C-alpha cells in the first residue's frame, strides 16, 4: 500500500492529540479543586478551639480599665508572674464547685434543716433511763460507768448554722463535706454537765434521737455515725442524699452547747472534771485525797 494522502495524515494527527489535551485540562482542573479545598480547610475554624477575637484599632489601643489595672497590680504583687497566676486559676477551675452543683447542694441543705426542725421532742428522763429509745437503737458512746447523775430531754436545736469551708466558697472537689452546727437548747442542759461525762452523754443521746428519725426519711440514702479525729467522746452524724445524688455531698452534724454555757475557768488544764470515786464505782468518795487534773477531758 502507498502512503496516505496529506489530508488524512493531518486528520489522524489531530484525532490522536485530542485525548492528550483533554487529560491535561482535567489534571489542571483537579489541581485547582484540591488547592481550593486546602484553602477552605485552612480558612475554616477548627471546632473546639478558641478563635482569635477581631478588634478594631480603637478597641486594641484603648486605655485599660480600673479592673484591669487592679488585676495587673495583683499579679505583680501576689503572684510575681502572669504564668503563675494562670496556673493557679486553672488549678482552681479543676477543684472549685460549679454553680449547678452548688444549687443542688443548697437545695439539699434546706431540706436537711427542715427535717431536723421537725424531729419530735422527748419528755425529760434520767440519763440512766434510756427506755425511750426504740428497740435496736444504740448510743454511739461507751457509757462506762453507766450510773451518772443528770436528766435529758430532746428539743429541736435553737440554732442551725452552716460553718467551715462551704459558706466561705473554699470547699474543694471531689469529696464535698458540709459542716452543720446544731446548738442544743439551754433548757436540756444543767450547770454541772461538765462533770463525769454528763454533757457527752447528752450530746450522744441527742445525736441518737436525730439519727433514728432521719434514717426513716426517704430523703437520705445513708445515715451513720463518725468520730472526727478519733475522739470517741464526740461523735458526729453523717448524712448523704438518696439515689443518684448519693455522692453529691456529705453533711456532717455537730451538736454543741450554747455560747458561754461552760465557764472557761472550769476547763483549765489544772482542773478536775472526772471524779475518781465515780469513775472507780466507789459509793463513798474519799474527800481527803486530791483529785488529779483531767486536761485531755477538759479540752
Amino acid at each position: 500500500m502507498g502512503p496516505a494522502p496529506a489530508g488524512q495524515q493531518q486528520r489522524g494527527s489531530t484525532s490522536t492529540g485530542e485525548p492528550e489535551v483533554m487529560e491535561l485540562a482535567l489534571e489542571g482542573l483537579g489541581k485547582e479543586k484540591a488547592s481550593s479545598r486546602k484553602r477552605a480547610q485552612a480558612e475554616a475554624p477548627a471546632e473546639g478551639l478558641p478563635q482569635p477575637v477581631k478588634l478594631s484599632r480603637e478597641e486594641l489601643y484603648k486605655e485599660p480599665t480600673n479592673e484591669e489595672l487592679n488585676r495587673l497590680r495583683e499579679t505583680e504583687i501576689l503572684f510575681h508572674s502572669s504564668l503563675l497566676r494562670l496556673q493557679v486559676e486553672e488549678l482552681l477551675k479543676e477543684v472549685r464547685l460549679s454553680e449547678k452543683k452548688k444549687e443542688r447542694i443548697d437545695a439539699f441543705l434546706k431540706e436537711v434543716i427542715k427535717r431536723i426542725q421537725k424531729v419530735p421532742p422527748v419528755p425529760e428522763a434520767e440519763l440512766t433511763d434510756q427506755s425511750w429509745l426504740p428497740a435496736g437503737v444504740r448510743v454511739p458512746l461507751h457509757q462506762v460507768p453507766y450510773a451518772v447523775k443528770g436528766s435529758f430531754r430532746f428539743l429541736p436545736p435553737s440554732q442551725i448554722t452552716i460553718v467551715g469551708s462551704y459558706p466561705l466558697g473554699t470547699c474543694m472537689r471531689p469529696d464535698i463535706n458540709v459542716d452543720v452546727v446544731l446548738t442544743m437548747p439551754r433548757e436540756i442542759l444543767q450547770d454541772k454537765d461538765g462533770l463525769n461525762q454528763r454533757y457527752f452523754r447528752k450530746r450522744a443521746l441527742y445525736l441518737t434521737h436525730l439519727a433514728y428519725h432521719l434514717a426513716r426519711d426517704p430523703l437520705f440514702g445513708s445515715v451513720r455515725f463518725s468520730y472526727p479525729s478519733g475522739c470517741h467522746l464526740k461523735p458526729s452524724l453523717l448524712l448523704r442524699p438518696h439515689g443518684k445524688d448519693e455522692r453529691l455531698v456529705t453533711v456532717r452534724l455537730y451538736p454543741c452547747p450554747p455560747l458561754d454555757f461552760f465557764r472557761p475557768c472550769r476547763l483549765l488544764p489544772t482542773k478536775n472534771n472526772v471524779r475518781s470515786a465515780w469513775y472507780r464505782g466507789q459509793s463513798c468518795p474519799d474527800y481527803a485525797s486530791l483529785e488529779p487534773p483531767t486536761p485531755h477531758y477538759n479540752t
Side-chain angles (χ1 to χ4, degrees), residues 112-145:
V112 170
I113 294 174
K114 289 181 182 178
R115 300 310 199 271
I116 293 175
Q117 292 173 340
K118 292 181 180 179
V119 174
V122 171
E124 187 172 359
E126 295 294 324
L127 281 175
T128 54
D129 181 14
Q130 300 177 9
S131 58
W132 55 272
L133 288 174
V137 176
R138 299 180 60 184
V139 180
L141 182 67
H142 192 53
Q143 304 181 73
V144 176

Side-chain angles (χ1 to χ4, degrees), residues 79 255 291:
F79 298 91
E291 294 287 350

Side-chain angles (χ1 to χ4, degrees), residues 42-81:
E43 294 175 359
E47 295 182 358
L49 296 177
Q51 301 301 319
V53 181
K54 294 182 179 180
L55 300 175
S56 63
R57 188 177 182 85
E58 294 180 357
E59 294 176 340
L60 188 61
Y61 294 101
K62 69 177 182 180
E63 295 181 358
T65 61
N66 292 333
E67 183 179 355
E68 292 172 343
L69 290 174
N70 292 333
R71 184 177 178 84
L72 291 173
R73 192 178 296 109
E74 288 177 0
T75 302
E76 181 181 359
I77 297 174
L78 301 178
F79 298 91
H80 304 289
S81 170

Side-chain angles (χ1 to χ4, degrees), residues 272-285:
N272 174 277
N273 286 302
V274 180
R275 300 295 185 254
S276 300
W278 169 81
Y279 187 75
R280 296 171 182 170
Q282 298 174 354
S283 57
C284 297

Side-chain angles (χ1 to χ4, degrees), residues 222-226 236-240 250:
S222 173
V223 178
R224 59 189 179 90
F225 295 107
S226 176
S236 63
L237 188 62
L238 307 184
L239 308 175
R240 280 189 172 182
T250 300

